[in-house]
Amino acid sequence: MIGALVAGITGSGGASLSSYESIATATGTGSSNTITFSSIPSTFKHLQIRYIGRTDNSATSRNYYIRLNSDSGANYAYHRLYGDGSTTGAEGYASQTEAYCFSSMPGALAGTNTMGVAITDLLDYSSSTKNKTLRTFHAFDNNGSGNVNISSGLWINTAAVTSITIVMATGNWTTSSTFALYGIKEA
Amino acid sequence: MPAGATYEPLATTTLTGTQATIDFNSISGSYTDLVISLYAQNAAASTGTRTGLMKLNSDSGTNYSYTTINGNGTAAASTRASSQSGGIFYAELVRAGNGANMFGFARISLFNYAGSTNKTILSESSADINGSGFVTRIVGLWRSTSAITSISLIGGSEGFTAGTTATLYGIKAA
């Protein structure tokens, strides 16, 4: 039985309930490896992207990566902590042309209808004085294979983030891949 | 409730006594994702942690699997379980024997829960017992294309203690 709504949460504070807002959504086309959120307003404090994905490439899983403001220069670094069901590992890379998220999106050889999932957080994205750090919790389970990952990414640029591009490194995002960008306001 | 709320609390349960499960039923299909915030204690009188499992739509078939990474303060490890009937592992639950005021945290995300693909969930679990415990990240799979309409959080073999609280949120994309 669904419990009763807690009055203190619903309250009269409508503003508090709108502090987490949906900005935009995107869906894979099956013929493109790129998802772009552009013209991101600067009116929020933080951003979060929640997504499920799959590639049409003939593999069990593939990597994807993130770029900010369409910057393809060697202005990124990233780290990953991961477990694959039997072993753990950690890796890091500097002076890269994108922030990679490894091995967490299933491909055509994975179980039918099985999707990878991810949550990417970008705090203080419109700051003009801070380099930008991404945090991504991303994973897939394929009932006998799969991995769980915690990744960080650094964009060495103090510009406000106005666009985010999520690129499937091999193959295209399937039409079952969906992405949702949310903005989180400060008080 | 204001129209168009994006991150909406749907239900909250705070236990007043020991209870085997916390259940959310008749879940509306009108959101994109669900999130459960849980602050919980398992009722075992011994120390350590207990595995918390989650079932969806009361399914007791071998349709669950999960992969984990955890750290216990000295080492990292990764585990996997396939074709399970007991549910998806969502948290290490702190046992009451560690102290009456010791609780553990879990945040569970259920993505595209009303969609037509198999259901993948992520869980962040933190159980610190001042000298022991685990930090754990979990991916779970329910091999069903059905919409999730009910969630049952199992509190280990002893159940949850009083004071355990869980809130179910719906997140709606534009």
Side-chain angles (χ1 to χ4, degrees):
Chain A
M1 181 75 71
I2 293 275
L5 291 174
V6 175
I9 292 175
T10 58
S12 60
S16 66
L17 292 173
S18 65
S19 56
Y20 186 98
E21 292 187 15
S22 177
I23 300 173
T25 60
T27 302
T29 64
S31 58
S32 171
N33 66 342
T34 301
I35 295 290
T36 300
F37 293 106
S38 57
S39 303
I40 298 172
S42 62
T43 50
F44 300 96
K45 185 62 175 177
H46 311 303
L47 299 175
Q48 182 175 86
I49 310 171
R50 304 177 66 91
Y51 44 116
I52 65 172
R54 187 178 171 102
T55 174
D56 62 1
N57 182 255
S58 183
T60 301
S61 68
R62 287 300 186 187
N63 308 325
Y64 70 99
Y65 60 83
I66 298 172
R67 285 183 172 150
L68 303 179
N69 290 12
S70 301
D71 181 7
S72 58
N75 301 312
Y76 300 85
Y78 53 93
H79 286 76
R80 178 174 78 128
L81 174 67
Y82 65 92
D84 65 6
S86 59
T87 62
T88 59
E91 54 193 340
Y93 301 87
S95 301
Q96 301 292 298
T97 55
E98 54 280 308
Y100 257 93
C101 295
F102 287 119
S103 302
S104 58
M105 290 297 167
L109 300 185
T112 303
N113 290 316
T114 293
M115 309 297 289
V117 294
I119 304 172
T120 295
D121 289 296
L122 177 55
L123 303 187
D124 211 2
Y125 71 102
S126 62
S127 167
S128 60
T129 60
K130 302 170 190 171
N131 293 327
K132 307 304 181 290
T133 298
L134 298 156
R135 183 200 70 165
T136 303
F137 179 19
H138 55 114
F140 85 104
D141 188 279
N142 193 39
N143 191 34
S145 63
N147 53 65
V148 58
N149 309 269
I150 307 162
S151 294
S152 66
L154 171 68
W155 184 43
I156 306 168
N157 194 310
T158 58
V161 173
T162 57
S163 73
I164 301 171
T165 306
I166 306 171
V167 182
M168 170 48 63
T170 309
N172 299 310
W173 293 109
T174 62
T175 57
S176 55
S177 304
T178 60
F179 304 77
L181 172 67
Y182 300 91
I184 302 166
K185 290 184 176 179
E186 61 182 335
Chain B
M1 182 69 60
T6 301
Y7 201 115
E8 187 171 342
L10 303 180
T12 293
T13 298
T14 300
L15 302 183
T16 57
T18 300
Q19 187 164 304
T21 65
I22 292 175
D23 299 324
F24 298 104
N25 298 314
S26 303
I27 299 170
S28 164
S30 58
Y31 298 92
T32 306
D33 299 336
L34 298 174
V35 173
I36 299 173
S37 292
L38 174 71
Y39 201 49
Q41 183 185 81
N42 163 266
S46 51
T47 59
T49 61
R50 191 72 87 196
T51 298
L53 298 176
M54 171 175 66
K55 286 188 174 180
L56 304 173
N57 288 15
S58 303
D59 183 4
S60 292
T62 55
N63 300 315
Y64 303 100
S65 57
Y66 48 86
T67 303
T68 80
I69 184 171
N70 72 72
N72 65 2
T74 57
S78 182
T79 65
R80 166 169 292 128
S82 305
S83 299
Q84 301 290 292
S85 61
I88 295 171
F89 170 41
Y90 66 86
E92 293 283 358
L93 300 173
V94 174
R95 301 185 196 180
N98 297 298
N101 299 325
M102 298 291 252
F103 283 68
F105 160 95
R107 180 181 293 122
I108 308 163
S109 287
L110 300 95
F111 293 79
N112 196 41
Y113 72 101
S116 58
T117 57
N118 290 333
K119 305 305 180 289
T120 301
I121 71 106
L122 293 179
S123 183
E124 305 169 74
S125 166
S126 298
D128 199 294
I129 313 172
N130 190 25
S132 64
F134 296 92
V135 56
T136 310
R137 298 294 182 266
I138 303 158
V139 57
L141 176 69
W142 180 44
R143 284 176 290 111
S144 171
T145 57
S146 298
I148 295 173
T149 58
S150 70
I151 301 167
S152 181
L153 302 175
I154 305 166
S157 52
E158 298 85 0
F160 297 111
T161 61
T164 293
T165 184
T167 300
L168 175 70
Y169 298 90
I171 299 177
K172 183 177 288 190

